[in-house]
Amino acid sequence: MGNLVAIVGRPNVGKSTLFNRLTKSRQAIVSDEAGTTRDRQYGKCEWCGREFSVVDTGGWVVNSDDIFEEEIRKQVVIATEEADLVLFLVDIKNGVTDLDADVAQILRKAKLPTLLVANKADDGKDLYGQYDFYRLGLGDPWCVSAATGSGTGDLLDKVLEVLPEKQDDGLEEGIPRFAVVGRPNVGKSSLINAFIGEDRHIVTDIAGTTRDSIYTRYDKFGFDFYLVDTAGIRRKNKVTEDLEFYSVMRSIRAIENSDVCILMIDATRGIEAQDMNIFQLIQKNNKSLVVVVNKWDLVEEKSQAAITTFETAIRERMAPFRDFPIIFASALTKQRIFRVLETAKQVYLNRKLRIGTTKLNEVMLPIIEATPPPSIKGKYIKIKYVSQVPDTQIPTFIFYANLPQYVKEPYRRFLENKIRENWTLTGSPINVFIRQK
């Protein structure tokens, strides 16, 4: 079970700077694809061999200059409901403000581990400002400078000390985990109930602590998997129903703890920004994907043309990753519900596909010969050999070339598409690396 740390605080105290500081080692590895707007709000931090997720609540408000204090309070409440630990950021140069005092009150009530972090302690003189913060009642302030990095190492040591160690979730290994995700009111619970039907007693519920997902073992009709269900675990807080930030915070754990994500989209509303945020979380975590367009029974126009238009729109929005199944279903009338399970199972198997090296070279080398990478500065790039790396989380292919640094993103994508054309990897993300031979 991954740990989740949320950074809260009023605007301009340096939340994004701290977030970047904590996740920077990873950001370099994660692709900088354009179009991932809210990428800077969620990332992973690795420290002393342990990894946890970090969410910056600051990026979720539209115009952060005249941001409503009400919004900030809501976010803090959501953060306390979802996270394992809160980093409450204050500005050591400014001292305690009224809004800081309000946030502190919410955090004291929440009884959640909280570290008070006094940011912008850039030189020794600033440290005298820390004593003001004792009146927030949240213990010793940790003085750091997110901009220069001073003090962040000690802070991270403390974070690891406070975070619970990974518990074993008691699930059998090797059994796929499917998570049903999507924004509020898209029909996640209905879909899960449609899967499980009234025969709830066949199913064993393995409940974790309140903050964890609930796993439901489903083994009938030739299927055997866990459903990761995050719906309806905590008290439904009406205020937060429509907040984008809320649906993302709710989805993080389910996505991190699954193999295949079943992303539900509302047929009557089309694709919205919130769907894209959840899709980006799925991609960032390298999870396999099945898209289910729910409430198809409510759509007037059900012609093949309407289906094609809808499909194209979804793939366009989610490009460059287009190779995933889309199912038009209705959780209410149970139409095509079974197809969803069959497809999720197939997508899981695709994720596990192993291609023999000989076969891989037989197919790929002639393609590369016919369409070699474009030469750069008069240098010709030769790719001589390709192999699949064994035992990786997702299918990973290495192409060995004489000048790997000159192979650009479009050609990598070309190689990925050719692999997908020749082998069934639908729904599964794949890695393509070019290395020195």
Side-chain angles (χ1 to χ4, degrees):
M1 194 56 66
N3 292 128
L4 188 55
V5 172
I7 303 176
V8 304
R10 53 190 179 78
N12 305 325
V13 289
K15 293 191 292 293
S16 301
T17 317
L18 181 65
F19 173 81
N20 291 340
R21 167 78 49 194
L22 297 182
T23 55
K24 70 171 186 308
S25 53
R26 291 292 298 258
Q27 294 304 57
I29 305 170
V30 180
S31 66
D32 317 317
E33 261 162 35
T36 40
T37 37
R38 295 190 183 278
D39 242 24
R40 58 173 201 281
Q41 270 74 39
Y42 162 79
K44 291 189 164 49
C45 172
E46 207 174 291
W47 185 252
C48 297
R50 278 177 66 187
E51 190 183 72
F52 55 88
S53 304
V54 189
V55 176
D56 165 20
T57 59
W60 292 95
V61 178
V62 194
N63 35 6
S64 47
D65 304 332
D66 51 9
I67 166 182
F68 303 115
E69 305 195 343
E70 196 38 50
E71 284 289 298
I72 294 179
R73 288 192 194 96
K74 270 189 208 169
Q75 285 186 339
V76 173
V77 171
I78 296 169
T80 57
E81 288 182 2
E82 299 295 332
D84 297 301
L85 168 71
V86 169
L87 297 180
F88 174 27
L89 220 56
V90 289
D91 182 338
I92 202 163
K93 289 180 162 57
N94 275 355
V96 176
T97 66
D98 293 349
L99 186 53
D100 287 336
D102 286 356
V103 172
Q105 191 181 357
I106 299 173
L107 292 171
R108 284 198 309 269
K109 271 196 193 137
K111 299 196 170 35
L112 179 76
T114 300
L115 295 180
L116 177 62
V117 182
N119 189 24
K120 305 192 186 176
D122 303 322
D123 58 39
K125 292 199 293 292
D126 295 324
L127 294 176
Y128 295 118
Q130 64 177 301
Y131 302 110
D132 191 19
F133 294 106
Y134 278 98
R135 60 190 169 108
L136 293 176
L138 290 168
D140 297 328
W142 289 82
C143 299
V144 304
S145 164
T148 64
S150 94
T152 47
D154 296 341
L155 175 65
L156 279 168
D157 289 341
K158 183 67 183 170
V159 167
L160 293 192
E161 194 183 304
V162 176
L163 279 181
E165 280 284 346
K166 273 201 171 165
Q167 315 136 322
D168 181 30
D169 45 24
L171 304 189
E172 270 182 56
E173 280 302 306
I175 294 179
R177 304 177 186 191
F178 300 162
V180 179
V181 293
R183 50 194 166 70
N185 307 326
V186 71
K188 297 188 288 289
S189 308
S190 323
L191 183 70
I192 289 170
N193 288 339
F195 284 160
I196 297 169
E198 296 312 300
D199 324 318
R200 280 243 168 197
H201 58 267
I202 303 182
V203 188
T204 47
D205 277 346
I206 306 169
T209 60
T210 44
R211 289 170 194 284
D212 296 346
S213 314
I214 292 177
Y215 294 97
T216 306
R217 177 85 176 259
Y218 181 107
D219 48 356
K220 49 183 184 183
F221 309 128
F223 291 112
D224 189 4
F225 59 85
Y226 289 109
L227 264 176
V228 186
D229 179 9
T230 48
I233 299 176
R234 252 139 296 146
R235 60 192 177 82
K236 275 274 192 285
N237 193 336
K238 273 288 170 270
V239 216
T240 57
E241 269 310 356
D242 49 6
L243 269 182
E244 230 170 302
F245 173 61
Y246 177 67
S247 62
V248 166
M249 284 293 279
R250 287 312 294 268
S251 312
I252 287 175
R253 278 171 205 278
I255 291 170
E256 288 184 349
N257 294 318
S258 66
D259 299 304
V260 178
C261 295
I262 299 171
L263 172 61
M264 295 185 74
I265 291 177
D266 187 330
T268 58
R269 294 175 63 170
I271 300 193
E272 299 182 335
Q274 238 165 317
D275 301 315
M276 289 307 295
N277 284 328
I278 295 174
F279 170 68
Q280 278 157 15
L281 284 176
I282 295 171
Q283 273 217 299
K284 219 167 180 171
N285 279 292
N286 275 334
K287 301 302 182 186
S288 303
L289 173 70
V290 175
V291 172
V292 174
V293 181
N294 190 29
K295 307 189 186 176
W296 193 239
D297 51 317
L298 303 179
V299 178
E300 305 281 306
E301 168 81 16
K302 288 195 185 61
S303 64
Q304 189 52 48
I307 290 183
T308 312
T309 313
F310 211 109
E311 278 200 359
T312 314
I314 293 175
R315 291 190 202 283
E316 285 302 305
R317 286 291 300 272
M318 298 188 177
F321 180 41
R322 295 162 183 269
D323 187 16
F324 53 84
I326 301 177
I327 298 166
F328 292 83
S330 160
L332 207 63
T333 64
K334 292 199 168 52
Q335 180 193 16
R336 299 201 192 86
I337 286 302
F338 210 67
R339 269 270 303 282
V340 175
L341 289 186
E342 288 175 340
T343 310
K345 181 178 173 181
Q346 187 52 52
V347 163
Y348 175 75
L349 293 174
N350 294 350
R351 190 185 173 85
K352 298 268 170 262
L353 181 72
R354 292 275 310 125
I355 305 168
T357 308
T358 320
K359 191 81 191 116
L360 202 53
N361 284 282
E362 264 172 26
V363 174
M364 293 304 292
L365 293 183
I367 293 175
I368 293 168
E369 217 158 283
T371 322
S375 61
I376 291 186
K377 301 181 189 142
K379 293 189 167 65
Y380 290 99
I381 302 159
K382 294 188 185 61
I383 294 178
K384 283 281 171 23
Y385 180 73
V386 52
S387 68
Q388 183 180 355
V389 186
D391 306 325
T392 46
Q393 213 202 348
I394 58 172
T396 301
F397 302 92
I398 297 187
F399 289 81
Y400 292 94
N402 54 347
L403 301 161
Q405 68 276 24
Y406 289 141
V407 180
K408 297 282 181 271
E409 189 53 42
Y411 195 76
R412 283 230 309 271
R413 209 163 283 160
F414 164 78
L415 293 174
E416 175 176 333
N417 291 339
K418 289 300 174 199
I419 293 173
R420 288 183 184 281
E421 276 170 32
N422 286 284
W423 290 277
T424 313
L425 286 158
T426 306
S428 173
I430 66 178
N431 283 328
V432 171
F433 295 117
I434 317 287
R435 294 274 159 80
Q436 190 76 39
K437 67 165 187 278

